[in-house]
Amino acid sequence: MRRPNIVLILADDLGYSDIGCYGGEIRTPNLDRIGRSGVRLSQFYNTARCSPSRASLLTGLHPHQTGIGVLAGNNAPGGYPGSLNDRCVTVAELLGDVGYATGMSGKWHLSGPLWEPADSWPTRRGFSDFFGTLSGCGSYYDPATLYRGEQDASDETRDPRFFYTDAITDHAVDFIGREAAAGRPFFAYVAYTAPHWPLHAPEDDIAGYDGVYTAGWDELRARRLDRLHAEGLLGTESALSAPDPAQPSWASAPHQTWEARRMQVYAAQVERMDRGVGRILDRLAASGVSDDTIVVFLSDNGGCAEILPLGDPGEFRAGRHIVPAATREGAELRVGNLPGVDPGPEDTYASYGPAWANLSNTPFRLYKRWVHEGGIATPFVVHWPAGGLAAGRIVRTPCQLTDVLPTLLAAAGVTYPSEHRGHEVPPLEGRDMTPALRGEPVQDTWLFWEHLGNAAVRRGRWKLVREHAAPWELYDLDTDRSELTDLAGHHPDVVAELATAYQAWARRVGVIPRG
């Protein structure tokens, strides 16, 4: 059989409603094109944070089984190793073993060692062609831990035209063109860092959103929900959640011009990523392989409410985020959300804050790190004309990251092994989504989440969820997708059943309890 090509595109910290075909006002014509002509899932879930989501996406396991329960970086002896372990197998390893060319462009964030090659680096987990970063985030003008293969590529940032989003696209386009010309099936994993902070974008892109965000987060949340309804992604079960009570209304927000600028830069980051997606789609078309290429797009978690700096600025620069102390030209970096300092240029290092993250996650509540809908709901687009997935269909079957690998393996005709390179590997935790993607009815299944003590379990209409150390909450997602009315007190039997299932799952996959 002719194996399909696969392009897996992952955004970083993108909210459920940010792109156009999911209700956003951000210009994303390329994602909208494949979304509206392919298949969109209205209830697809990530695992609430970057490293765990990547681990689950690439292995078909829950992140705790892979060694990455929180983030990359060793938290032993009381925590997770923080590197992809040898008891899991990646999609790149599996596809490479059957003759696929495997290339990765962008953010890895699945290895504790960042400076010396290790068995958890992408080059040693199935990717024969790698360009990107190992760390979790960094400047778009001068990213840290930049490699080609296992060679330091930081010299490439000296080019004044260098911008990381474009560099990721460049590598992906070159890889696809080369392998398509060679006639080999290929797997391209394109892991953008956009729109993760820092808020960096070229000024022309930012100016394209002049005036768009002066309406403020309250009005724009309502508009996004209207468009989500119009797209057919959500219905009356998804009312607009109340604004974050810790944030001001737009009418009472100070520094409105600066606030609007923050969201302008975020939107510009997303649009530039979409432009890169357009270049990838164009290369597929020019190579004559569009129809038989599976293109998947999703985000690793919900919109991010983090406020910079996360701690002491000195510690922030020296810690896991690897923030440079100065720009390439030697100018001092202005770290933090500073009213009057417009984000975007290289000498700024800012985030967009909780109120705009609340907009990104419309209509849901809470954010990245939480396992309420705002933290785990993601846009999920699949486009594969030759596979019968080009009907403009919206699928409402609940699915999560563990389902992606079984789906890709089924499409490629690859059998998942019980052991790999001398190591026993756990069975896949998810299931092939293809029947659901084709509009066929499928049975309900259990879905589970845990991150930093935030926990959830879903079965059919019922979702049991809690914040760390807080009581369980119960929601009927068929009537209350936005999790507004806690029914735990009305259905203690359902709470008990789901809580028991969660505890059994947590023990089985190795969740480390948090004190």
Side-chain angles (χ1 to χ4, degrees):
M1 67 175 255
R2 164 67 184 174
R3 301 184 193 270
N5 308 304
I6 301 169
V7 178
L8 179 59
I9 305 172
L10 184 66
D12 198 348
D13 286 9
L14 181 84
Y16 181 80
S17 67
D18 277 328
I19 65 175
C21 63
Y22 276 77
E25 69 291 319
I26 301 175
R27 293 184 290 269
T28 55
N30 299 294
L31 288 170
D32 297 349
R33 171 162 51 100
I34 59 171
R36 293 191 177 115
S37 64
V39 176
R40 285 174 285 172
L41 274 68
S42 66
Q43 299 189 72
F44 190 90
Y45 295 107
N46 51 51
T47 66
R49 203 155 182 207
C50 39
S51 293
S53 284
R54 284 164 169 73
S56 190
L57 175 67
L58 294 179
T59 67
L61 303 176
H62 292 288
H64 319 81
Q65 298 169 288
T66 72
I68 301 188
V70 178
L71 281 175
N74 195 341
N75 292 304
Y80 301 95
S83 286
L84 208 60
N85 62 35
D86 59 11
R87 295 181 300 282
C88 60
V89 55
T90 72
V91 60
E93 290 172 310
L94 293 170
L95 295 179
D97 285 348
V98 297
Y100 272 77
T102 56
M104 179 186 168
S105 315
K107 170 178 167 177
W108 180 241
H109 206 203
L110 293 174
S111 181
L114 299 180
W115 309 109
E116 294 293 332
D119 289 343
S120 52
W121 278 32
T123 47
R124 304 187 183 191
R125 297 312 303 259
F127 290 99
S128 59
D129 192 334
F130 168 63
F131 167 79
T133 44
L134 301 176
S135 56
C137 64
S139 169
Y140 287 73
Y141 302 96
D142 188 15
T145 68
L146 183 66
Y147 289 90
R148 283 192 182 273
E150 296 184 359
Q151 301 301 311
D152 181 2
S154 56
D155 283 354
E156 297 182 29
T157 68
R158 295 177 183 174
D159 185 335
R161 298 166 297 178
F162 182 92
F163 191 73
Y164 191 32
T165 302
D166 297 343
I168 292 170
T169 301
D170 290 344
H171 180 263
V173 167
D174 289 348
F175 171 78
I176 289 168
R178 181 177 68 250
E179 298 304 333
R184 294 180 64 191
F186 56 82
F187 169 59
Y189 174 40
V190 187
Y192 287 105
T193 55
H196 193 297
W197 50 259
L199 296 172
H200 281 164
E203 194 60 38
D204 287 349
D205 291 349
I206 300 168
Y209 287 90
D210 284 350
V212 173
Y213 293 102
T214 56
W217 40 69
D218 298 317
E219 174 63 25
L220 290 169
R221 288 183 78 224
R223 293 181 191 175
R224 284 196 180 191
L225 182 57
D226 287 343
R227 288 192 292 269
L228 280 162
H229 288 158
E231 292 280 351
L233 285 157
L234 299 179
T236 57
E237 80 291 338
S238 302
L240 191 65
S241 63
D244 186 331
Q247 300 303 310
S249 68
W250 180 255
S252 62
H255 315 296
Q256 286 188 353
T257 300
W258 173 75
E259 287 283 12
R261 166 79 181 202
R262 295 165 80 188
M263 189 62 195
Q264 278 186 251
V265 182
Y266 178 92
Q269 290 177 300
V270 176
E271 184 176 1
R272 198 167 189 98
M273 176 186 66
D274 179 79
R275 219 173 287 157
V277 172
R279 289 179 54 207
I280 291 169
L281 297 176
D282 288 347
R283 179 54 59 92
L284 292 172
S287 301
V289 296
S290 291
D291 282 355
D292 204 25
T293 297
I294 304 169
V295 179
V296 177
F297 173 84
L298 72 160
S299 177
D300 63 351
N301 46 248
C304 175
E306 292 166 347
I307 300 172
L308 302 187
L310 300 178
D312 173 79
E315 178 185 346
F316 181 72
R317 288 196 176 108
R320 73 179 68 171
H321 303 295
I322 317 179
V323 180
T327 68
R328 292 170 294 181
E329 290 74 32
E332 183 177 356
L333 205 67
R334 295 173 287 176
V335 177
N337 302 311
L338 308 170
V341 176
D342 285 348
E346 182 180 352
D347 66 347
T348 64
Y349 207 99
S351 59
Y352 73 161
W356 289 124
N358 200 198
L359 171 66
S360 288
N361 297 335
T362 301
F364 309 126
R365 61 187 179 94
L366 294 176
Y367 315 98
K368 169 185 176 179
R369 300 192 186 200
W370 282 267
V371 294
H372 288 71
E373 296 291 286
I376 59 175
T378 174
F380 190 94
V381 170
V382 189
H383 188 266
W384 184 25
L389 304 183
R393 183 178 297 117
I394 292 174
V395 171
R396 292 175 173 78
T397 303
C399 299
Q400 64 181 154
L401 288 175
T402 53
D403 298 321
V404 174
L405 179 57
T407 305
L408 298 181
L409 294 184
V414 177
T415 301
Y416 183 80
S418 58
E419 65 175 47
H420 191 257
R421 295 179 185 169
H423 297 280
E424 185 177 348
V425 294
L428 288 169
E429 293 285 333
R431 58 180 177 170
D432 177 10
M433 294 185 290
T434 306
L437 297 177
R438 290 179 174 153
E440 300 169 15
V442 295
Q443 290 186 332
D444 289 334
T445 190
W446 292 94
L447 306 178
F448 297 96
W449 300 265
E450 189 279 337
H451 183 67
L452 296 172
N454 301 317
V457 52
R458 178 172 178 178
R459 174 76 170 182
R461 67 192 302 157
W462 295 111
K463 180 181 175 186
L464 193 69
V465 60
R466 70 181 178 199
E467 295 184 53
H468 173 56
W472 285 112
E473 305 162 16
L474 179 68
Y475 298 101
D476 179 352
L477 298 193
D478 280 0
T479 61
D480 183 20
R481 177 83 189 278
S482 300
E483 300 169 316
L484 305 182
T485 303
D486 179 8
L487 300 175
H490 298 279
H491 299 281
D493 54 333
V494 178
V495 172
E497 179 190 6
L498 269 62
T500 298
Y502 171 81
Q503 293 299 339
W505 169 81
R507 287 191 298 270
R508 181 174 63 78
V509 302
V511 172
I512 298 175
R514 297 183 66 85

